[in-house]
């Protein structure tokens, strides 16, 4: 019988369930500790739950990758907020880059980037990042 996640109190209980026992759309745990104890902890030291996408490497799903152009970035953090896979690395509100092991190439970070031209763009997976940077488009004039 399908089980509501609200009935589950410990992350370990998830491992005893089959996927067909969770109701569709059930939210999974992000951390093994309460979120208020985690917000100040650096990203790589957080106690990620087994159900957190940080624990899974989905980089080999990509056919295109986001390439980051530091010269254009205004550190607005939109990409960091909207990335569904915790793949944007940022420190002290300064964007650092993309963690490719966790990035599945969905392109959401590119969609939300507000600069002109964008500071993140999708390129073929096997293209060298320096080559991608050399092909960056120019600023688009307003029509
Ligand atoms: S392409 Fe998707 S998964 Fe990868 S960094 Fe951008 S938003 Fe995150
Ligand atoms: S959304 Fe674009 S401008 Fe904003 S931090 Fe990310 S890369 Fe930089």
């Amino acid at each position: 019988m399908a089980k509501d996640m609200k009935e589950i109190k410990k992350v370990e209980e998830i491992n005893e369930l089959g996927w067909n026992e969770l109701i569709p759309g059930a939210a999974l745990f992000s951390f093994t500790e309460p979120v208020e104890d985690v917000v100040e902890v650096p990203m790589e030291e957080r106690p990620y739950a087994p159900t957190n996408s940080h624990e899974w490497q989905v980089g080999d799903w990509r056919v295109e990758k986001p390439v980051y152009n530091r010269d254009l970035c205004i550190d607005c953090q939109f990409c960091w907020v909207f990335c569904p896979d915790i793949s944007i690395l940022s420190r002290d509100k300064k964007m650092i880059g993309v963690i490719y092991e966790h990035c599945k190439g969905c392109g959401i970070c590119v969609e939300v980037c507000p600069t002109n031209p964008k500071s993140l763009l999708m390129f073929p997976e096997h293209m060298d990042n320096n080559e991608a940077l050399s092909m960056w488009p120019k600023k688009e004039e307003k029509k």
Side-chain angles (χ1 to χ4, degrees), residues 2-115:
K3 194 158 185 170
D4 194 321
M5 286 300 285
K6 287 182 196 139
E7 297 171 37
I8 296 175
K9 302 297 174 209
K10 286 187 183 163
V11 70
E12 292 77 26
E13 291 175 44
I14 294 173
N15 296 335
E16 291 158 21
L17 292 173
W19 282 104
N20 58 353
E21 294 177 83
L22 294 170
I23 58 168
L28 301 179
F29 288 98
S30 291
F31 304 107
T32 55
E33 308 293 328
V35 71
E36 54 271 24
D37 295 343
V38 169
V39 284
E40 300 294 334
V41 177
M43 193 172 167
E44 57 275 18
E45 292 169 24
R46 290 178 181 170
Y48 294 105
T51 45
N52 191 309
S53 59
H54 187 270
E55 296 301 291
W56 300 89
Q57 301 203 345
V58 292
D60 57 2
W61 293 7
R62 280 192 315 269
V63 289
E64 288 191 311
K65 63 180 172 183
V67 176
Y68 173 55
N69 190 330
R70 177 70 242 173
D71 292 344
L72 299 165
C73 177
I74 57 172
D75 292 309
C76 69
Q77 308 295 296
F78 284 5
C79 55
W80 182 81
V81 169
F82 282 96
C83 172
D85 272 322
I86 325 178
S87 307
I88 301 288
L89 191 56
S90 180
R91 278 285 178 287
D92 300 325
K93 298 188 181 162
K94 288 268 178 209
M95 162 75 168
I96 295 174
V98 178
I99 308 170
Y100 284 121
E101 289 83 1
H102 296 296
C103 164
K104 61 177 173 267
C106 66
I108 290 174
C109 54
V110 173
E111 286 297 314
V112 299
C113 180
T115 59

